[in-house]
Amino acid sequence: VTQKFKIPVKLYDCFIPPERSPPISKTAPNNTVCPKNHLGEPKLDGICYGAAYDSFRVCLAGQEVTVAGRKYNTLEAQLKGFPKLSVHLKIDVEGSEWDVLEWLVANPDEWDKIRTLDMEIHFGFGSAAVLEKYKDLTIREQLEREVKIMESLLSRFYCTGSTLEVYRQGWSPEDNCGMEPCGEPPIYLANGFSVTAFAVSYVHKELVD
């Protein structure tokens, strides 16, 4: 994104050790001329930011809170000051996305700041920073809430693709469990294909219509 489109980036992660992440430790080449391959495309064998990046030891959640020494903050705080259709948002927060997405769909003016969204979703996952009112949901209540949130996204976004297509190619129950019994996934299709976790992409409808 920074190399090809020169888009500045903000990175948030409170889990990965800084020594394992040059961007989080702020040691990656920043706002510089990055090496290219023979076709003039960015080389992907190393970490290099062709536009300015900044990184924060903070995770995303539906509330500002510190849990087990990790700091969490809200999407609302990060979107302050951004104009309409100006943000590409990438989320992979291992279950914390539901509180964030629920807030987003309830606040259309904030939602409209996001032009494109790439995220990994996790049905039935717990989050250390989940809002208090959702801590005691049954698994059924949790899944019903999550499905409702996913459906709500389609009121302002078009879905442009997901990794489900790739996961499904050549899949069979034997591949999933082999000869050993396996646990029932929280959510799955009629043939047993699990859709518990996958990546999905969206674009704001105003960019298309």
Side-chain angles (χ1 to χ4, degrees), residues 9 20 25 47 55 63-64 80 108 111 129 136 158 164 179 189 195:
V9 172
R20 287 179 48 200
S25 62
I47 300 175
S55 60
Q63 59 181 328
E64 184 177 354
K80 284 183 178 178
W111 188 353
D136 296 323
Y158 287 125
L164 285 177
M179 300 302 294
L189 304 184
V195 292

Side-chain angles (χ1 to χ4, degrees), residues 41-112:
E41 294 288 327
K43 295 182 72 174
L44 302 179
D45 56 354
I47 300 175
C48 182
Y49 287 82
Y53 82 85
D54 203 357
S55 60
F56 307 87
R57 294 290 289 163
V58 177
C59 282
L60 188 64
Q63 59 181 328
E64 184 177 354
V65 66
T66 298
V67 181
R70 294 187 173 95
K71 294 181 179 180
Y72 295 80
N73 208 333
T74 64
L75 183 59
E76 179 180 13
Q78 309 312 321
L79 289 177
K80 284 183 178 178
F82 283 95
K84 186 176 181 179
L85 298 177
S86 66
V87 175
H88 168 65
L89 180 64
K90 182 178 183 295
I91 300 176
D92 183 3
V93 289
E94 306 300 323
S96 290
E97 63 268 20
W98 301 112
D99 290 348
V100 175
L101 294 173
E102 187 174 60
W103 169 83
L104 190 66
V105 299
N107 292 273
D109 288 343
E110 299 295 323
W111 188 353
D112 284 345

Side-chain angles (χ1 to χ4, degrees), residues 6-188:
K6 304 302 180 184
I7 298 174
V9 172
K10 292 186 178 182
L11 308 168
Y12 300 84
D13 194 322
C14 66
F15 278 85
I16 192 168
E19 61 272 16
R20 287 179 48 200
S21 172
I24 292 297
S25 62
K26 302 182 186 294
T27 60
N30 190 357
N31 198 19
T32 188
V33 178
C34 298
K36 300 181 183 299
N37 62 23
H38 67 285
L39 297 175
E41 294 288 327
K43 295 182 72 174
L44 302 179
D45 56 354
I47 300 175
C48 182
Y49 287 82
Y53 82 85
D54 203 357
S55 60
F56 307 87
R57 294 290 289 163
V58 177
C59 282
L60 188 64
Q63 59 181 328
E64 184 177 354
V65 66
T66 298
V67 181
R70 294 187 173 95
K71 294 181 179 180
Y72 295 80
N73 208 333
T74 64
L75 183 59
E76 179 180 13
Q78 309 312 321
L79 289 177
K80 284 183 178 178
F82 283 95
K84 186 176 181 179
L85 298 177
S86 66
V87 175
H88 168 65
L89 180 64
K90 182 178 183 295
I91 300 176
D92 183 3
V93 289
E94 306 300 323
S96 290
E97 63 268 20
W98 301 112
D99 290 348
V100 175
L101 294 173
E102 187 174 60
W103 169 83
L104 190 66
V105 299
N107 292 273
D109 288 343
E110 299 295 323
W111 188 353
D112 284 345
K113 296 178 180 180
I114 299 173
R115 58 185 294 118
T116 46
L117 169 65
D118 290 330
M119 66 176 176
E120 186 166 296
I121 62 163
H122 309 81
F123 282 106
F125 281 40
S127 166
V130 67
L131 293 172
E132 188 68 31
K133 61 183 177 180
Y134 295 127
K135 284 186 175 180
D136 296 323
L137 294 183
T138 65
I139 187 62
R140 182 185 180 93
E141 291 170 335
Q142 186 177 347
L143 292 174
E144 288 177 344
R145 174 191 176 225
E146 292 165 358
V147 169
K148 181 180 178 180
I149 292 170
M150 289 295 290
E151 291 174 341
S152 298
L153 289 175
L154 295 178
S155 67
R156 265 181 161 76
F157 281 154
Y158 287 125
C159 181
T160 58
S162 78
T163 54
L164 285 177
E165 294 89 343
V166 177
Y167 293 166
R168 183 64 182 85
Q169 291 176 4
W171 178 90
S172 69
E174 292 77 15
D175 295 330
N176 190 45
C177 295
M179 300 302 294
E180 299 293 330
C182 62
E184 181 179 347
I187 187 166
Y188 53 91

